[in-house]
Amino acid sequence: MQLGPVTLENRFVRIVPFDLERHASDLRDMAERSGERLATWPYFNPPGDWITPWVATIRKRAEAGTLIPFAVILPDGKFAGMTAYLSPEATSKHVEVGMTIYAPEYQGGAVNPACKHLLLAHAFEQGAIRVFFNVDERNKRSQAAVKKLGGVQEGILRDNRILPDGFVRSTVVFSILAREWPGVKTGLEARLARFEEQGG
């Protein structure tokens, strides 16, 4: 399995390698506008400047090869958010899809399923046998979104992460296996076709 910075696109979104010099200000603006929607975001730690250390984490992990971040761009060129491959494991052929955040106005529409379709398809095409998602146990909305994609809940990692504000988080783990991808792909494409019929 070989994953790296690539450009992926479909009729809804274009995913491009995240450029900190170019996209960091867009990311900061989007995060500031999202406010309490990010209450379970693992880097969220107001009232101080929590975004600067988050961007530093993106840079550090990208340079170490444990994060492959992407900017999500709409057909009209607007910045819609970011997403990433995390901790790709070439030997075991698995990778996490995460660090996903969208501007409030693009949540609940075609952007997330369109991005997931691209990321999942690319990962499996590159030889992944398992793609997984780690979700804060408190974040019921994200859990529902992963289930809607076709993710299968594997279990809960109890008290496995201490967040910047000191909260001890439990993480719900979901996965999609290569042998499940054809069915998941069909479902995703049907969802996206409905969005297209509705005009996006």
Side-chain angles (χ1 to χ4, degrees), residues 27-143:
L27 184 65
R28 178 178 289 276
D29 175 67
M30 182 191 64
E32 289 174 345
R33 287 190 292 112
S34 295
E36 288 303 315
R37 285 174 175 262
L38 298 177
T40 61
W41 186 248
Y43 305 94
F44 187 63
N45 190 26
D49 177 14
W50 58 273
I51 301 175
T52 296
W54 174 33
V55 170
T57 296
I58 294 172
R59 183 187 300 276
K60 182 178 179 180
R61 292 195 61 183
E63 290 174 351
T66 62
L67 177 74
I68 306 170
F70 299 95
V72 179
I73 309 297
L74 300 181
D76 62 5
K78 291 180 180 176
F79 179 88
M82 77 163 289
T83 190
Y85 289 128
L86 296 92
S87 304
E89 176 51 63
T91 301
S92 297
K93 298 184 179 181
H94 64 229
V95 65
E96 179 186 353
V97 169
M99 205 180 277
T100 300
I101 177 173
Y102 304 118
E105 59 268 32
Y106 304 123
Q107 295 176 13
V111 169
N112 186 55
C115 287
K116 292 299 190 293
H117 183 276
L118 290 171
L119 292 170
L120 288 165
H122 183 66
F124 289 123
E125 287 166 1
Q126 295 304 306
I129 62 172
R130 175 177 175 266
V131 177
F132 65 100
F133 308 83
N134 288 330
V135 183
D136 190 309
E137 188 178 29
R138 299 168 295 168
N139 193 337
K140 305 303 182 184
R141 178 173 180 167
S142 288
Q143 290 181 52

